[in-house]
Amino acid sequence: MKYQYFYRCFSLTSAGGPRSGAYDNYFDRPKLSEHALLSEFDSHRNRWNGHPTALVSVTDRPLEALNRALGKYNSRNEDKIWIICIKVPKADVENGPHHAQRLAEELGLDSNVFRHEYLFEWEIPEDYILRIVSLRAILAWRIEDMRPL
């Protein structure tokens, strides 16, 4: 397989969609050093932190992204929710995401919790975004519309 696929759910209350919550706070967005990456991850993993980080979380499981979208829809009564589908060439190690499991191991955390999470620095490169689909569109699909091509 030449590509790896990732997914991200976001809404108007999310940190930044395809960009990190800290994206607009910095004019210059340099590649993070290993130390800075671990520090950002340590803050990022705490959902209740309240401070935006330079990291954008994605998952390699499409159903996890859909489940998160449905959770936002049901618990927060949000209706402007999207899922980004991302296609990353496996050869692109420079711009590709970091595996959160490795970062968790470096910090001595339970790394299994992060085995399906990956992190982009600052933003998901536009070239990698295949599609952005709204949860509203997914919910509007009918079973008979979902025929194999």
Side-chain angles (χ1 to χ4, degrees), residues 67-138:
N67 187 47
R68 286 177 184 252
L70 291 169
K72 284 176 175 280
Y73 179 77
N74 289 325
S75 68
R76 298 185 194 158
N77 208 15
E78 293 185 55
D79 66 340
K80 295 188 178 180
I81 303 166
W82 298 270
I83 295 176
I84 303 174
C85 303
I86 306 148
K87 181 179 176 181
V88 178
K90 283 193 173 181
D92 191 354
V93 293
E94 184 67 27
N95 297 312
H98 303 280
H99 196 178
Q101 185 173 24
R102 180 189 70 80
L103 302 175
E105 287 170 2
E106 293 281 329
L107 293 175
L109 304 170
D110 179 5
S111 62
N112 283 331
V113 173
F114 301 98
R115 75 176 176 262
H116 295 286
E117 184 176 352
Y118 294 79
L119 302 157
F120 284 94
E121 294 180 24
W122 301 110
E123 67 182 327
I124 300 166
E126 210 171 295
D127 297 2
Y128 294 171
I129 297 175
L130 276 180
R131 180 167 291 121
I132 299 177
V133 62
S134 72
L135 180 62
R136 184 179 290 169
I138 293 170

